[in-house]
Each structure stands twice: as structure tokens, then as C-alpha cells.
């Protein structure tokens, strides 16, 4: 008698999705399997961070000038090692490394894809046990097969993404990834060590009740941002109450909540940092691809984040991302503020 089984693993799901593309070779599915393996290895260390000498500072800083935590380095090395050994990745670029890495073995030079990642986003939250995450992007390379990948492969705009996703190491460990077919979430079942489909066809509601930003920076905000902040804190006519403010300080966690509950996340440019803090290639593009695939919106205040042509690997951009109607409202204020500022004497 056939036993009914509702459990669908990530591998089974990606293979089923591949069937929708008769010409698909299964390499993208294999790449997702490789990334999920690396993240299971990272999860193992994150889950026992308090028990082994792996939290705390590594004593070095990354290209961003940010102090590296030991788990940052471990996560970066895990992803590089797994992808270097896969047959499906020509090279990687990581937020933790100055430059990209081209894998030059006979298999890798013939691989179609390159992967960019932030190996452990929000790592400053490790010591306080708040949710952190891994963010990844998959592009089809533009350089010729048969040779090592080149920098141009890593400087493609987000609208060229083949897939993007994140793993959130929180109360449960979840992998969420998007293709043009949509967004699906998988929860790690520790007893079998598999990510299992738990959130099919995820949708970002077109409006929400939560705004998420680091209010401590508001003294540096321009007039448009300050006007939107006031709008969020006023009694909202439809809700009869102000929006709620939630900010974890870990982009993966703040955007996972935004995807599930609706809302808006903002890291704007300000008087001290014109381009804000978040990195286009490692954080903003992959998260924008996911949120847009779920029906949300993502802008840098002037244009769609996914349409920005990257000029360098570690460039930063402002970001307004989340529920469509909330992002549009924020952009109204920001544009008005800017226009007002533009005509001001
Ligand atoms: P701030 C974490 O360091 C990070 O890159 C994102 O995950 C997060 O959204 C942001 O920076 C938090 O920055 O300036 O509010 O601490």
C-alpha cells in the first residue's frame, strides 16, 4: 500500500520545478542543493554558537571595515568550499572578500552560473542570539564557457538574476528562494537533515502595518524621510492607529517578517552616508528579487533596485522595500521632500 507523504524536500521540489522547463539541465537545482548543504553546515555552528569557542571577534576587519566575527569567516569558508567542489559554479563573490574568486578547474570553467553571497548577514547579532542569515544570488555568467569567469559576471544588474534566496537561522531554520516562477519557503527538519516545503507560493501583501528602520539615524534624514516617519507615527486613518515599529538590525530577519506579515523596510541614504549602508550585490539585489517575485516593490528612492547597473562589487545603495502601497507612499514623501529641497533657495 502506497504511504501518503506530504513532505516535499527542497531537492524534490526543485526537480519538479525543472520539469516545467523541458530544456533545463538541472544545474540550477544542483546549485541550490549545494548552497543548502553549506547552509546546513553553517546552521550546525550557529545553533551551538554559545557552546563552542566560535562566537566572538576574529580579530580582523572585512573590506567594509566591519569587525569580522568567527562565524562570519567560518560561513564564508563553508560556502566557498562547497561551491568550489560543485560542478555547477564557475566562481563566487562574497561580502566578506575584497574581490571575486574564479574557480579554474576543468569542471568549474564550464559551469554556467556564478554565485554571490553575504555568508552571515546581521552577524553583530550572534552574541545576543538574535536571528541572522545567509543571502545568496545566482546569475548565469556572461563570460565565455571554457575559461575562468570574469568580474563582469558579478556586476550584472539584479534584473538578470536567475534565482535568489536566503536562509534565516532563527527559532527555526528556513530557506526561502525565488525564481521567476515565484517564492517558496522550506523549513529544516533536523531529524532528517532536509529542508522541507513549508511556505509554498509566498506573497508580500500589498499593504501592512509595520515600518522597519533604524530610528537612531533619523537626525541625519532629509525632509522627505522625516515627513514619512511622521506619517508612520500618526494615527493611520484606515487602521485607526499608528504603524508599529519593528527593527531587528538583521536585514534577513526584518525582511522575512516583511515578506510574511507585510510592511516596509527602509535603509535610506542620509546626510552622513548618501548611499546608506546596505550592499547592492550582496543584500539589496537578492532581497529585492525575492520581494518583487512575491508581489512587493523595491526602490533606491529614484529607481527600481533591480535596474541599477552595478559599477563595483561592494557598492552601497539606499533601499525602500516591502508592501507595494507602503513603498509607493514612502516614495511620494521622499520625492516631494527632494523636489521641495530642489526648489528651496
Ligand atoms: P544598523 C547587518 O550589519 C546589516 O548589514 C543588515 O543586516 C542590517 O539591516 C543593517 O546592517 C543594520 O544596520 O546601522 O541599523 O546597525
Amino acid at each position: 500500500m502506497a504511504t501518503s507523504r506530504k513532505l516535499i524536500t527542497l531537492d524534490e521540489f526543485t526537480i519538479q520545478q525543472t520539469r516545467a522547463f523541458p530544456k533545463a539541465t538541472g544545474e540550477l537545482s544542483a546549485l541550490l542543493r549545494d548552497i543548502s548543504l553549506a547552509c546546513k553546515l553553517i546552521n550546525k555552528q550557529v545553533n551551538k554558537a554559545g557552546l563552542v569557542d566560535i562566537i566572538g571577534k576574529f580579530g580582523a576587519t572585512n573590506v567594509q571595515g566591519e569587525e569580522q566575527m568567527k562565524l562570519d569567516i567560518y560561513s564564508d569558508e563553508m560556502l566557498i568550499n562547497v561551491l568550489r567542489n560543485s560542478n555547477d559554479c564557475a566562481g563566487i563573490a562574497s561580502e566578506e572578500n575584497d574581490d571575486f574568486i574564479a574557480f579554474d578547474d576543468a569542471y568549474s570553467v564550464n559551469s554556467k552560473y556564478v554565485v554571490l553571497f553575504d555568508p552571515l548577514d546581521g552577524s553583530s547579532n550572534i552574541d545576543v542570539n538574535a536571528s541572522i542569515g545567509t543571502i545568496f544570488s545566482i546569475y548565469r555568467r556572461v563570460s565565455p564557457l571554457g575559461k575562468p569567469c570574469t568580474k563582469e559576471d558579478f556586476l550584472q544588474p539584479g534584473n538578470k538574476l536567475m534565482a535568489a534566496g536566503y536562509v534565516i537561522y532563527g527559532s527555526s531554520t528556513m530557506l526561502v528562494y525565488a525564481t521567476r516562477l515565484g517564492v517558496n519557503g522550506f523549513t529544516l527538519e533536523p531529524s532528517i537533515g532536509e529542508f522541507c516545503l513549508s511556505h509554498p507560493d509566498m506573497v508580500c501583501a500589498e499593504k501592512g502595518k509595520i515600518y522597519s528602520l533604524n530610528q537612531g539615524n533619523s537626525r541625519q534624514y532629509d525632509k522627505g524621510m522625516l515627513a514619512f516617519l511622521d506619517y508612520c507615527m500618526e494615527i493611520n486613518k484606515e487602521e485607526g492607529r499608528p504603524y508599529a515599529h519593528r527593527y531587528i538590525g538583521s536585514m534577513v530577519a526584518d525582511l522575512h517578517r516583511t515578506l510574511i506579515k507585510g510592511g516596509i523596510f527602509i535603509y535610506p541614504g542620509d546626510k552622513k552616508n548618501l548611499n546608506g549602508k546596505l550592499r547592492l550585490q550582496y543584500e539589496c539585489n537578492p532581497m529585492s528579487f525575492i520581494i518583487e517575485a512575491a508581489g512587493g516593490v523595491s526602490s533606491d528612492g529614484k529607481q527600481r533596485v533591480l535596474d541599477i547597473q552595478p559599477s563595483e562589487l561592494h557598492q552601497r545603495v539606499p533601499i525602500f522595500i516591502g508592501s507595494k502601497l507602503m513603498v509607493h507612499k514612502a516614495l511620494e514623501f521622499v520625492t516631494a521632500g527632494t523636489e521641495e529641497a530642489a526648489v528651496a533657495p
Side-chain angles (χ1 to χ4, degrees):
M1 178 184 78
T3 51
S4 67
R5 176 167 64 97
K6 288 193 180 133
L7 208 65
I8 298 177
T9 68
L10 174 65
D11 287 356
E12 290 171 317
F13 183 85
T14 53
I15 288 164
Q16 284 171 12
Q17 285 228 315
T18 303
R19 288 181 186 149
F21 300 97
K23 292 183 183 160
T25 59
E27 287 170 271
L28 192 56
S29 301
L31 202 43
L32 279 167
R33 182 168 59 243
D34 298 332
I35 292 168
S36 73
L37 169 61
C39 292
K40 283 189 265 190
L41 293 166
I42 294 168
N43 178 63
K44 190 161 166 273
Q45 294 304 327
V46 165
N47 276 349
K48 59 184 183 184
L51 301 172
V52 296
D53 177 32
I54 199 155
I55 54 176
K57 296 178 176 39
F58 183 68
T61 56
N62 61 17
V63 64
Q64 327 288 344
E66 293 166 339
E67 199 144 43
Q68 290 180 305
M69 309 292 276
K70 289 178 183 173
L71 264 177
D72 276 330
I73 303 298
Y74 175 84
S75 306
D76 193 42
E77 288 170 359
M78 274 303 111
L79 281 156
I80 293 172
N81 294 344
V82 166
L83 290 169
R84 187 192 297 276
N85 295 329
S86 86
N87 292 342
D88 315 297
C89 180
I92 65 98
S94 163
E95 187 197 293
E96 294 298 330
N97 301 343
D98 298 8
D99 206 349
F100 73 96
I101 300 173
F103 301 149
D104 54 7
D105 61 274
Y107 288 106
S108 302
V109 295
N110 286 299
S111 302
K112 285 191 300 199
Y113 299 109
V114 292
V115 179
L116 292 87
F117 50 80
D118 180 353
L120 207 57
D121 177 71
S123 53
S124 55
N125 283 309
I126 292 172
D127 289 346
V128 297
N129 215 11
S131 297
I132 51 183
T134 297
I135 308 173
F136 61 88
S137 307
I138 302 174
Y139 288 93
R140 185 188 295 276
R141 55 188 287 196
V142 294
S143 56
L145 295 185
K147 293 181 181 173
C149 57
T150 63
K151 182 163 250 181
E152 286 64 38
D153 293 317
F154 300 95
L155 290 177
Q156 300 181 63
N159 57 33
K160 298 289 187 192
L161 276 163
M162 294 297 292
Y166 59 83
V167 173
I168 179 167
Y169 309 103
S171 45
S172 66
T173 298
M174 266 191 77
L175 182 145
V176 173
Y177 88 91
T179 63
R180 282 173 176 68
L181 289 178
V183 185
N184 291 280
F186 301 79
T187 300
L188 183 64
E189 168 45 83
S191 64
I192 56 172
E194 291 284 357
F195 282 105
C196 299
L197 184 65
S198 54
H199 296 65
D201 300 318
M202 298 178 83
V203 171
C204 181
E206 66 171 13
K207 66 188 287 294
K209 302 173 182 174
I210 297 171
Y211 73 101
S212 183
L213 48 77
N214 183 341
Q215 203 129 341
N217 295 334
S218 57
R219 284 276 184 273
Q220 307 303 330
Y221 287 173
D222 64 25
K223 289 176 79 172
M225 260 309 296
L226 289 172
F228 178 66
L229 207 43
D230 286 344
Y231 168 83
C232 291
M233 294 187 280
E234 285 162 3
I235 300 288
N236 183 297
K237 295 176 186 58
E238 287 150 33
E239 312 301 337
R241 48 161 293 177
Y243 288 139
H245 179 238
R246 296 287 182 274
Y247 190 70
I248 301 166
S250 171
M251 188 186 198
V252 169
D254 281 316
L255 279 177
H256 186 64
R257 181 200 56 246
T258 303
L259 177 57
I260 294 206
K261 291 187 171 233
I264 183 170
F265 173 88
I266 304 177
Y267 210 110
D270 60 31
K271 294 168 191 157
K272 276 175 70 177
N273 301 298
L274 285 179
N275 291 318
K277 171 182 181 183
L278 302 179
R279 274 65 56 156
L280 173 61
Q281 289 306 78
Y282 303 107
E283 294 163 310
C284 297
N285 261 337
M287 298 312 282
S288 299
F289 183 82
I290 295 163
I291 291 292
E292 282 205 7
V297 164
S298 180
S299 167
D300 69 350
K302 298 187 182 79
Q303 64 178 311
R304 190 171 168 243
V305 167
L306 295 180
D307 292 339
I308 298 172
Q309 175 53 55
S311 54
E312 52 181 271
L313 276 179
H314 294 279
Q315 77 185 74
R316 300 168 193 259
V317 294
I319 188 164
F320 300 73
I321 182 171
S323 296
K324 181 167 58 175
L325 298 183
M326 296 180 81
V327 173
H328 288 164
K329 178 59 75 177
L331 296 179
E332 277 177 30
F333 281 94
V334 167
T335 309
T338 309
E339 282 163 1
E340 190 183 311
V343 301

